[in-house]
Amino acid sequence: MTLSTKRSTPDFFLIIVTLSLLTIGLIMVYSASAVWATYKFEDSFFFAKRQLLFAGLGICAMFVIMNIDYWTWRTWSKTLVIICFVLLILVLIPGVGLVRNGSQSWIGVGAFSIQPSEFMKFAMITFLSKYLSENQKNITSFKKGMVPALSFVFLAFGIIMLQPDLGTGTVLVGTCIVMIFVSGARISHFVGLGLLGIGGFVVLVLSAPYRIKRITSFLDPWEDPLGSGFQIIQSLYAIGPGGLLGLGLGQSRQKFFYLPEPQTDFIFAILSEELGFIGGSLVLVLFSLLLWRGIRVALGAPDLYGSFLALGIISMIAIQVMINIGVVTGLMPVTGITLPFLSYGGSSLTLMLAAVGVLLNVSRYSRY
């Protein structure tokens, strides 16, 4: 099945916002990582060059995918999910999966690797979009609608938790829950699932001592300022002195070995320190504009599949942004979540840009 709607130009405003965030990200990755890169690799541009490489690959993927009929993802959704499930299982095999920061989440050779859980997020969005568009009349039934949809989602979540990677798993589940809710599922079902989810979350936290420490450090980081509360405290030390205008680009103090690997999950803290409230607000405005355009594309899509696909992509980005900013500002417990388009990370950056490419293709058919 193919689209009969005439294809128009893509949403150029969406392109401009995405490239603006990417440009800010490239500048901040260099600024945040230069000290650490010089110390570890004797090359201040080490992380910046790698990020630039993946940004180039991601931009190429975005513009290529922008011209691929989004129904193609419907056709290949099952295959994509199966491939991602296989990769998630391979990651868990000793000697195959690479361990970084306590999580066995990567697969690759040497310095170049991919994180299958990142790609599972997109694969699950394509799969769930197909399911919801074909079974919307059954979604109000818990047995016929909700259970089949959630079974694959929680299977993927369970495998990701074996790595363990609670942050990515949370984004995956959160994105899928938003999609199912918008499809017309009963609120009463979500209440029941919410209670089960809270119980499951408590079990996950209690099953790992380091997660308990993250919760307690979130409530009172000063209880263990040199341990579990260290990252939150150092992040707040970065944001606070930034003031209105910041200390100036490249003038961060916290990147001098106070905030661990500031180019990744806590890059927004360095950005706020150097560019101040105005710089941080600009980034949040750009993300808000991205969210607005994404919702606009979803509402104007010519069919249910396009609507769910666009909604899933923009929800994934929005949830990841909210969690990352929440962690950096001390509003949420620490989880390993990157800030889309800004944080250092090849798999995350490439996936986000490719996902925007899909969103842009949907925009070429949207009626708005």
Side-chain angles (χ1 to χ4, degrees), residues 37-51:
T38 301
Y39 169 75
K40 191 172 182 179
F41 302 103
E42 298 183 352
D43 179 6
S44 63
F45 288 93
F46 179 83
F47 293 105
K49 288 187 292 187
R50 291 168 63 84
Q51 187 77 343

Side-chain angles (χ1 to χ4, degrees), residues 37 40 79 125 361 364:
K40 191 172 182 179
T79 303
I125 289 172
N361 183 261
R364 304 188 73 167

Side-chain angles (χ1 to χ4, degrees), residues 48-69:
K49 288 187 292 187
R50 291 168 63 84
Q51 187 77 343
L52 184 61
L53 171 63
F54 285 112
L57 292 174
I59 290 174
C60 290
M62 182 178 75
F63 283 108
V64 169
I65 292 173
M66 181 181 72
N67 293 291
I68 298 176
D69 180 356

Side-chain angles (χ1 to χ4, degrees), residues 84-85 87-88 91 104-107 114-124 156 159-161 163-165 167-169 171-172 316 320 336 347 351:
C84 287
F85 269 119
L87 290 175
L88 285 179
V91 161
Q104 191 167 318
S105 304
W106 287 264
I107 233 177
I114 63 170
Q115 191 174 2
S117 57
E118 288 287 341
F119 295 96
M120 174 55 89
K121 292 187 295 187
F122 175 72
M124 191 59 70
I159 298 175
I160 291 173
M161 285 308 302
Q163 298 176 2
D165 188 353
T168 302
V171 174
L172 172 71
M316 173 182 67
Q320 197 156 323
S347 295
L351 168 76

Side-chain angles (χ1 to χ4, degrees), residues 59-333:
I59 290 174
C60 290
M62 182 178 75
F63 283 108
V64 169
I65 292 173
M66 181 181 72
N67 293 291
I68 298 176
D69 180 356
Y70 69 81
W71 268 75
T72 303
W73 304 106
R74 181 187 182 115
T75 304
W76 290 94
S77 60
K78 291 182 180 179
T79 303
L80 287 174
V81 166
I82 291 172
I83 291 173
C84 287
F85 269 119
V86 171
L87 290 175
L88 285 179
I89 294 172
L90 287 176
V91 161
L92 299 176
I93 300 176
V96 177
L98 304 177
V99 179
R100 295 177 183 173
N101 298 323
S103 295
Q104 191 167 318
S105 304
W106 287 264
I107 233 177
V109 178
F112 291 93
S113 58
I114 63 170
Q115 191 174 2
S117 57
E118 288 287 341
F119 295 96
M120 174 55 89
K121 292 187 295 187
F122 175 72
M124 191 59 70
I125 289 172
T126 63
F127 179 80
L128 195 58
S129 296
K130 181 176 186 295
Y131 175 83
L132 293 175
S133 63
E134 294 177 348
N135 298 274
Q136 192 178 25
K137 63 180 181 180
N138 295 323
I139 200 63
T140 55
S141 169
F142 185 78
K143 184 177 180 181
K144 294 181 179 180
M146 291 278 283
V147 172
L150 291 174
S151 59
F152 286 96
V153 175
F154 285 108
L155 177 60
F157 176 75
I159 298 175
I160 291 173
M161 285 308 302
L162 293 175
Q163 298 176 2
D165 188 353
L166 180 59
T168 302
T170 301
V171 174
L172 172 71
V173 173
T175 300
C176 295
I177 290 296
V178 169
M179 294 174 67
I180 295 172
F181 178 78
V182 172
S183 70
R186 295 179 184 274
I187 295 180
S188 58
H189 293 163
F190 279 100
V191 172
L193 288 172
L195 294 175
L196 288 174
I198 292 173
F201 179 77
V202 172
V203 171
L204 286 174
V205 170
L206 295 178
S207 65
Y210 77 91
R211 294 194 190 115
I212 298 176
K213 288 184 178 180
R214 285 183 176 181
I215 296 296
T216 56
S217 65
F218 160 67
L219 297 174
D220 183 12
W222 291 101
E223 183 181 347
D224 187 12
L226 298 179
S228 57
F230 184 78
Q231 283 183 303
I232 295 178
I233 291 172
Q234 298 305 319
S235 178
L236 295 177
Y237 274 163
I239 296 173
L244 182 63
L245 300 176
L247 302 179
L249 185 62
Q251 301 304 309
S252 167
R253 299 165 184 156
Q254 292 302 103
K255 67 184 179 183
F256 283 86
F257 311 110
Y258 293 103
L259 192 58
E261 298 193 38
Q263 72 276 8
T264 54
D265 303 346
F266 285 85
I267 195 168
F268 187 76
I270 302 300
L271 183 146
S272 298
E273 183 183 13
E274 295 188 346
L275 304 182
F277 176 79
I278 291 178
S281 297
L282 173 62
V283 169
L284 294 180
V285 168
L286 288 173
F287 276 122
S288 298
L289 292 173
L290 186 70
L291 176 62
W292 165 56
R293 299 302 283 196
I295 293 175
R296 194 164 179 252
V297 169
L299 292 175
D303 57 15
L304 279 176
Y305 179 72
S307 293
F308 284 126
L309 188 62
L311 173 68
I313 290 171
I314 203 64
S315 296
M316 173 182 67
I317 295 173
I319 290 172
Q320 197 156 323
V321 170
M322 287 189 291
I323 293 177
N324 180 275
I325 300 297
V327 168
V328 169
T329 55
L331 298 176
M332 297 179 67

Side-chain angles (χ1 to χ4, degrees), residues 7-19 59 61-68 70 290 293-294 297 309-310 313 352-366 368:
R7 188 165 72 174
S8 61
T9 57
D11 189 331
F12 284 108
F13 189 83
L14 186 59
I15 295 176
I16 292 172
V17 172
T18 301
L19 294 181
I59 290 174
M62 182 178 75
F63 283 108
V64 169
I65 292 173
M66 181 181 72
N67 293 291
I68 298 176
Y70 69 81
L290 186 70
R293 299 302 283 196
V297 169
L309 188 62
I313 290 171
M352 287 297 173
L353 289 171
V356 171
V358 177
L359 192 61
L360 287 169
N361 183 261
V362 178
S363 76
R364 304 188 73 167
Y365 300 96
S366 291
Y368 55 75

